[in-house]
Amino acid sequence: MTQFNQPLGGNDMPRFAGPATMMRLPSQATAKGLDVCFVGVPIDIGSSNRSGTRHGPRQIRAESCMIRPYNMATRAKPFETFQVADIGDVAINTFDLKKTVGIIEKAYDAILAENCTPLTLGGDHTLTLPILRAMKKKHGPVALIHIDAHADINDEMFGEKIAHGTPFRRAVEEGLLACDKSFQIGLRGSGYSPDDFDWTRNQGFTVVTAEECWYKSLAPLMEQVRARVGNQPAYLTYDIDSLDPAFAPGTGTVEVGGLSTWQALEIIRGCRGLNLVGGDLVEVSPPLDPVGNTALIGANFLFEMLCVLPGCQYAR
């Protein structure tokens, strides 16, 4: 019988002590032997406004100490299903964004070679592009479930083709995505032209603005997502700035009128049944939220992602 790793319990070690890993899980150097890994990408050199997301993975891990192994709401029991560990951080080059993108892609090639599903602690949204490049080599073009205040489809930022506002333009151009099965949810704010949101619509994406989400449950929307995506390999990328800044002020590019935490949980839990091959939680900037609530939310969202991965067992 497989002995699955377990988060260190609060009755075995006080919550404020113990290993500084995601959910106080065991750590290891590689993804070998794992079904799922938590991995950090401490990057903010792709950010365009307020920095600090390089500290995101460390703070998310710190705040994850309160999460217990069983999901009381959904009855998911991932730590009776998967072998999970924290494999630490990708050793990025903090002085060179282009080199860092290559480093990230190579790191995820190695994770996927072990048939391990990565859940990523970010880090600015640039990191999703090299992950998607690795995903295509393993799974082919993936459906994208992208939760964000911004479409991140700029052609350039200050003349650069790669930054946290460009990953999904590059992903479309490189054929990394199944565009007709991709969704962007929570987009809002001011812009430069209608094309800021319409560009992805014109590529075949379904775009759901934040205003379309106000005053309602998002469970019906996720039924549509599941029906459209079907069994296509799918990648979930969650930008914490999709939430209203009342919930998550610790991020670099805040916009008013965002999603609530309960809507976000409906979205993530609504991914149950999808063929998820990975996910990330990005743009947590701890210096902008000294209380730690933004990182705490991020940690819980990553746990929820773990609970909807294919094959996760649920208690009756």
Side-chain angles (χ1 to χ4, degrees):
M1 180 178 293
T2 301
Q3 184 68 39
F4 292 117
N5 294 336
Q6 298 295 316
L8 181 60
N11 291 321
D12 298 314
M13 174 69 71
R15 295 286 175 188
F16 49 81
T21 58
M22 183 66 182
M23 294 182 67
R24 306 197 301 178
L25 283 161
S27 63
Q28 61 182 63
T30 73
K32 188 175 180 61
L34 299 180
D35 301 307
V36 185
C37 68
F38 289 107
V39 54
V41 182
I43 174 179
D44 62 10
I45 50 176
S47 298
S48 60
N49 190 34
R50 304 188 297 184
S51 61
T53 56
R54 67 181 62 187
H55 303 291
R58 180 171 291 184
Q59 187 67 17
I60 290 168
R61 288 182 173 107
E63 299 297 341
S64 74
C65 68
M66 277 298 298
I67 305 174
R68 301 164 187 87
Y70 177 71
N71 192 317
M72 299 298 292
T74 68
R75 304 177 73 83
K77 44 183 186 178
F79 297 103
E80 296 179 37
T81 309
F82 305 124
Q83 188 67 286
V84 190
D86 187 327
I87 65 168
D89 292 334
V90 176
I92 61 103
N93 182 334
T94 198
F95 302 112
D96 191 316
L97 182 58
K98 293 182 177 68
K99 287 183 179 178
T100 285
V101 166
I103 291 168
I104 296 168
E105 181 179 352
K106 185 176 180 180
Y108 281 77
D109 285 340
I111 292 169
L112 296 176
E114 299 291 347
N115 295 316
C116 177
T117 300
L119 294 176
T120 301
L121 293 64
D124 76 56
H125 222 155
T126 311
L127 63 86
T128 306
L129 176 61
I131 295 174
L132 291 174
R133 287 172 173 170
M135 287 288 170
K136 184 185 179 184
K137 285 178 272 185
K138 176 76 172 181
H139 301 289
V142 297
L144 184 72
I145 315 300
H146 173 206
I147 321 303
D148 204 325
H150 312 98
D152 292 350
I153 47 81
N154 292 292
D155 185 32
E156 294 182 349
M157 300 185 78
F158 290 94
E160 296 294 331
K161 290 287 190 178
I162 293 181
H164 77 157
T166 69
F168 304 111
R169 171 83 65 141
R170 301 287 87 81
V172 170
E173 292 172 345
E174 295 176 22
L176 309 183
L177 304 177
C179 294
D180 62 328
K181 297 184 178 183
S182 293
F183 288 77
Q184 293 184 313
I185 302 171
L187 306 191
R188 65 187 189 277
S190 54
Y192 294 101
S193 77
D195 204 43
D196 287 359
F197 292 171
D198 288 346
W199 189 86
T200 39
R201 287 188 175 108
N202 292 334
Q203 312 308 311
F205 282 51
T206 300
V207 175
V208 182
T209 64
E211 287 81 2
E212 295 173 78
C213 300
W214 290 356
Y215 317 120
K216 65 178 68 172
S217 166
L218 298 187
L221 169 64
M222 295 312 296
E223 291 179 7
Q224 298 174 32
V225 171
R226 293 193 301 273
R228 174 70 67 83
V229 174
N231 198 44
Q232 180 82 21
Y235 187 83
L236 174 60
T237 180
Y238 201 104
D239 189 325
I240 205 73
D241 73 22
S242 66
L243 297 178
D244 190 87
F247 297 96
T251 191
T253 316
V254 294
E255 306 282 358
V256 301
L259 303 178
S260 67
T261 51
W262 42 94
Q263 288 177 314
L265 289 172
E266 287 182 315
I267 292 170
I268 299 172
R269 291 173 182 175
C271 290
R272 181 183 176 186
L274 294 178
N275 182 17
L276 287 177
V277 294
D280 62 54
L281 187 289
V282 299
E283 298 287 355
V284 171
S285 180
L288 301 173
D289 182 9
V291 176
N293 281 349
T294 306
L296 176 67
I297 293 168
N300 277 272
F301 285 4
L302 284 158
F303 171 65
E304 294 284 344
M305 290 182 195
L306 175 66
C307 291
V308 297
L309 291 181
C312 186
Q313 296 179 14
Y314 288 73
R316 294 189 177 186

